[in-house]
Amino acid sequence: MKLSIKLPGQRWLPRWLPRRLTISLAILALALAVLGWSIWQTHWAWQSGYGDEDMSAFALADPRSLSGGDLTSFHKGFKPFGQAAANLPWQYAKIFEDGDGLFEHAFVPAVSPRIDGERAGLGPLYNANACGACHFRDGPVESPYQTGGQMNGIFLRLSVADGKGGWQAPTGYHSQLRDKSIAGVPAEGMGVIEWEELPGTFPDGEPYRLRRPHFRVDHPGYGPLPENLIIEARSAPRLVGMGLLEAVDDSTLLAMASSIADHADGVSGRVNRVIDAETGKTVIGRFSLKANEPNLRAQTAGAAFNDMGLTSPLHPRELCLPGQQACQLAVAAMPTDRPDLAEEQLQALTVYLQLLAVPARRDVNEPQVMRGERLFAQAGCTACHRETLQTGDSHPIKRLRRQTIHPYTDLLLHDMGPGLSGRPDGEAGAQEWRTAPLWGIGLTERSNHHTHFLHDQRARSLQEAVLWHDGEAAVAQQRFVKLPRADRQALIRFLESL
């Protein structure tokens, strides 16, 4: 006899139906859970910035070696500045790789008709054809400038006083001398640096030599340059850890500026305030040599535009000036359907810079390094080169939040004295420069085959870089000068460990 039950409000049904219905509902619930988990993983979970790899190496490492928190790289090869943060989810890893490809790609002049997806648009006036041409292996240039040679990874800034305490570009020229151009367009000129040797002696009798740069522009392409021209050189810096510096809150920068106001050595750092090209608002700057860029998106778009002539959503118009007719004719022949860098490409480059790892600090237990670290602090260097910062809790990439980092910078402007004077920039005075981060500095020779430092490559060693410090850093510099030779060597050895 076949059994059946009667459900309320239903006809007579087989007795086994509720059991099958329960199993079906369970399967449906499991399928929905798997689907929900997949959607979560695909659209939201990866935004934490972490994949599913083992992170125990960071928990076991000496905290002093974790310069970039868990964005520290333990890579020991010849590309210490070009490593991705460990354990990225595949979504971020893909964006990073896309950005890396764009970073290394050699751009070419645009042609018409434009091939879909072609990475073109170089120039018409430019300084380099690729990001990596200046930032070799994501560090400074591979070969420092030699007098009489072509400038690569370094360019000249041109300006004249505007009569209002600021500057303006000389008539007929950009403020960044573009020494290269596409066929048929004259370059703006060839920048030349000549070096003047400055001998000196430490109090203990050890000699040293510094060199001072002298600039000129040969073969100016767009008319004579004024006699009161201010010229300064800018060299490509290391790019590691920039996402972490972007994640430091404005309030932290303002607090550091406030805390240092009455420093015994006369140190008085301050923020630079600049106009955000995308929003038009006045904001705090933290990138570039005078902290005149507010974030990495603006820094990336600005470098692409100024260094390579690549338009983007932030800089949609080509950079030809009214008097540069051949440049304008070249632009008129170019495709204008879209910017040279599309939005997704600009985003990929920005994420690439945000997720570059920081090399781990080395030899932290070496006696000479430990002594040098104490001397660095005793000399007063940490007044500006702050060892430890904490990133905030608001960066769009969650991986960058709440990281304890050791960049040895305060990202503030400091007066470095007349010897390093240039031009004003935003609220930054002519002698003010942003404190350069020191993390990774000891790996420059391994990665980039040289030890040239400072914004114009004038320092040929870390010791020369220290000796050029003046202004607010004069007291600390004199403490270094008066150290015995063994102590000076220990302090430099400490810097080499960073």
Side-chain angles (χ1 to χ4, degrees):
M1 180 178 66
K2 186 178 291 185
L3 298 176
S4 63
I5 60 173
K6 185 178 182 182
L7 297 176
Q10 300 291 328
R11 295 182 300 172
W12 289 96
L13 298 172
R15 188 172 183 177
W16 44 262
L17 185 58
R19 184 177 179 183
R20 289 193 175 182
L21 183 60
T22 300
I23 295 173
S24 298
L25 290 174
I27 294 173
L28 178 61
L30 179 62
L32 290 174
V34 171
L35 178 62
W37 180 86
S38 177
I39 293 174
W40 168 257
Q41 288 290 320
T42 301
H43 294 283
W44 288 287
W46 67 275
Q47 296 180 21
S48 70
Y50 292 96
D52 54 6
E53 299 174 8
D54 181 21
M55 296 285 287
S56 60
F58 295 92
L60 298 173
D62 188 321
R64 294 173 297 171
S65 71
L66 298 178
S67 299
D70 70 21
L71 280 84
T72 300
S73 167
F74 299 98
H75 178 78
K76 297 184 182 297
F78 59 87
K79 294 183 67 175
F81 304 143
Q83 305 304 308
N87 191 26
L88 292 177
W90 68 263
Q91 293 92 336
Y92 270 130
K94 181 183 183 304
I95 299 173
F96 183 92
E97 291 302 321
D98 289 345
D100 192 5
L102 282 166
F103 191 88
E104 297 297 336
H105 181 80
F107 288 84
V108 297
V111 295
S112 184
R114 183 171 185 163
I115 301 172
D116 186 45
E118 181 183 15
R119 293 172 183 170
L122 181 71
L125 297 165
Y126 63 97
N127 295 105
N129 66 350
C131 304
C134 294
H135 299 278
F136 178 67
R137 296 175 182 166
D138 302 282
V141 67
E142 180 180 16
S143 299
Y145 175 77
Q146 300 294 325
T147 297
Q150 191 174 49
M151 287 191 163
N152 292 304
I154 187 172
F155 58 80
L156 298 186
R157 281 271 172 91
L158 312 180
S159 51
V160 294
D162 63 2
K164 303 176 183 178
W167 63 272
Q168 60 189 17
T171 301
Y173 292 84
H174 292 91
S175 62
Q176 178 172 319
L177 182 75
R178 288 162 175 93
D179 59 355
K180 300 177 183 65
S181 60
I182 66 174
V185 178
E188 291 189 324
M190 185 179 78
V192 177
I193 307 175
E194 293 184 340
W195 305 103
E196 175 190 4
E197 292 288 332
L198 304 173
T201 305
F202 288 105
D204 61 9
E206 181 186 5
Y208 64 81
R209 299 182 72 85
L210 301 180
R211 63 177 188 173
R212 177 185 291 129
H214 297 279
F215 309 108
R216 72 172 189 268
V217 177
D218 287 349
H219 315 299
Y222 296 90
L225 289 162
E227 292 184 0
N228 62 339
L229 184 66
I230 301 171
I231 307 180
E232 55 184 313
R234 299 292 177 89
S235 185
R238 296 180 308 283
L239 301 178
V240 298
M242 294 179 75
L244 291 164
L245 298 179
E246 185 178 53
V248 176
D249 284 341
D250 286 355
S251 60
T252 299
L253 305 185
L254 293 170
M256 286 190 291
S258 177
S259 69
I260 207 172
D262 299 318
H263 195 274
D265 290 349
V267 180
S268 57
R270 65 193 185 99
V271 299
N272 193 7
R273 296 185 185 275
V274 298
I275 303 297
D276 187 329
E278 194 159 20
T279 66
K281 296 180 179 179
T282 300
V283 295
I284 291 177
R286 65 184 66 207
F287 295 111
S288 192
L289 293 165
K290 282 185 175 282
N292 58 2
E293 290 290 0
N295 53 57
L296 286 177
R297 178 177 168 86
Q299 171 74 23
T300 301
F305 183 67
N306 291 311
D307 299 351
M308 294 181 284
L310 300 178
T311 58
S312 70
L314 269 67
H315 299 280
R317 297 182 180 180
E318 299 286 352
L319 46 69
C320 301
L321 295 173
Q324 297 176 336
Q325 296 179 354
C327 182
Q328 293 178 3
L329 289 174
V331 169
M334 292 179 179
T336 58
D337 57 325
R338 61 180 182 178
D340 301 318
L341 286 179
E343 174 61 31
E344 60 270 20
Q345 293 174 317
L346 178 57
Q347 289 179 5
L349 278 168
T350 302
V351 170
Y352 173 70
L353 294 177
Q354 288 170 328
L355 294 177
L356 275 174
V358 181
R361 190 181 155 200
R362 302 155 310 286
D363 305 320
V364 294
N365 292 316
E366 182 182 298
Q368 188 183 30
V369 169
M370 296 172 70
R371 186 162 106 255
E373 183 175 13
R374 291 192 298 270
L375 291 166
F376 186 80
Q378 291 169 8
C381 304
T382 52
C384 304
H385 291 285
R386 298 281 186 110
E387 175 191 359
T388 302
L389 296 178
Q390 186 81 22
T391 65
D393 197 30
S394 60
H395 196 279
I397 299 179
K398 296 177 182 178
R399 175 73 177 271
L400 300 174
R401 300 177 185 175
R402 297 184 297 278
Q403 294 280 351
T404 299
I405 60 176
H406 307 292
Y408 288 89
T409 180
D410 57 8
L411 297 175
L412 301 178
L413 296 172
H414 295 276
D415 187 329
M416 297 299 291
L420 297 178
S421 183
R423 73 176 189 199
D425 210 327
E427 294 184 2
Q431 297 181 183
E432 290 183 305
W433 300 88
R434 185 200 69 161
T435 305
L438 299 181
W439 50 12
I441 197 168
L443 293 168
T444 304
E445 186 170 16
R446 179 194 297 180
S447 173
N448 300 88
H449 311 145
H450 64 83
T451 56
H452 287 221
F453 303 104
L454 296 184
H455 65 279
D456 54 13
Q457 300 181 1
R458 70 176 66 190
R460 293 161 293 188
S461 66
L462 289 170
Q463 177 169 279
E464 287 188 24
V466 173
L467 292 174
W468 271 109
H469 282 56
D470 197 2
E472 294 176 32
V475 175
Q477 186 256 31
Q478 281 300 298
R479 291 193 185 111
F480 172 80
V481 167
K482 295 175 182 178
L483 289 173
R485 181 180 182 183
D487 285 350
R488 294 195 301 270
Q489 291 175 337
L491 192 151
I492 297 301
R493 180 71 188 92
F494 159 69
L495 294 177
E496 292 171 347
S497 77
L498 297 180

